Amino acid sequence: MHDRPTHTLFEDAQGLLVGTGLCGFGLSMLTSAGLVTGQTAGLAVLLSYVTGFGFGVLFFVINLPFYWLAHRHLGRDFTLKTFIAVALVSAFAELADRLVNTQAAHPAVAAVLFGMIAGAGLLAIFRHRASLGGVGILAYYLQERMGWRAGWVQLGFDLALFGAALLVMAPDLVLWSLLGAAILNVIIGVNHRRDRYIAT
């Protein structure tokens, strides 16, 4: 039985740069249309609307408490790559806000493009054994510790998040946001399979 091939340091670096760049740009497009998404990124987006703080700063800070769980249960390498990925997405989102004009995008267009762009970015991040932290790490921990299914934990968080979004956003924007989140999750669900991608 052959060992799985491994990514080189260069391959990991370029994969994380490309993936986080795509996610950062996608999130900038999302927020320019006043939309929201799920998971930790969505919480940071929603808080940015309520508080006026930038998404990048909030996303980076919200993720800080979760690295201890990641280090303890998922290992040092995964935690380090995830920390780097979160920092890069925060930076790229802030840069995109300053350098790219997406103000003309209709919410429907922004939602679809976000789903496709961020979905591709997350695939690159996942395939190089990293994540964007936060709720995903907590869900994994609760599954291991409490027996709660990680997928249900994440779904419950997202339902609560979109429910909260209805309190501060127009209903049509929340519906367009759900479309973007659905497209992103379909892309991940169809393409992120260990039986088809074997490098580690």
Side-chain angles (χ1 to χ4, degrees), residues 76-105:
R76 182 192 63 185
D77 290 348
F78 174 87
T79 304
L80 179 60
K81 288 180 183 179
T82 295
F83 178 84
I84 292 169
V86 168
L88 287 173
V89 167
S90 298
F92 283 137
E94 292 295 327
L95 280 174
D97 283 345
R98 290 168 171 74
L99 301 177
V100 182
N101 180 14
T102 57
Q103 295 297 324

Side-chain angles (χ1 to χ4, degrees), residues 21-93:
L22 288 171
C23 287
F25 176 73
L27 284 160
S28 176
M29 176 170 290
L30 186 86
T31 56
S32 72
L35 303 179
V36 72
T37 188
Q39 303 297 298
T40 314
L43 177 60
V45 168
L46 194 58
L47 287 175
S48 74
Y49 295 156
V50 173
T51 66
F53 287 106
F55 162 81
V57 173
L58 288 169
F59 184 55
F60 183 80
V61 170
I62 289 170
N63 269 290
L64 291 176
F66 295 100
Y67 295 124
W68 177 82
L69 283 177
H71 184 269
R72 183 170 180 180
H73 296 280
L74 298 168
R76 182 192 63 185
D77 290 348
F78 174 87
T79 304
L80 179 60
K81 288 180 183 179
T82 295
F83 178 84
I84 292 169
V86 168
L88 287 173
V89 167
S90 298
F92 283 137

Side-chain angles (χ1 to χ4, degrees), residues 147-163:
W148 300 357
R149 294 287 296 274
W152 290 115
V153 172
Q154 293 183 85
L155 177 61
F157 178 87
D158 283 351
L159 288 174
L161 179 65
F162 281 103

Side-chain angles (χ1 to χ4, degrees), residues 3 25-26 32 38 49 61 93 97 135 138 141 144 157 178 183 191:
D3 292 333
F25 176 73
S32 72
Y49 295 156
V61 170
D97 283 345
V135 175
L138 179 61
Y141 170 77
E144 294 298 303
F157 178 87
L178 285 167
I183 291 171
N191 294 285

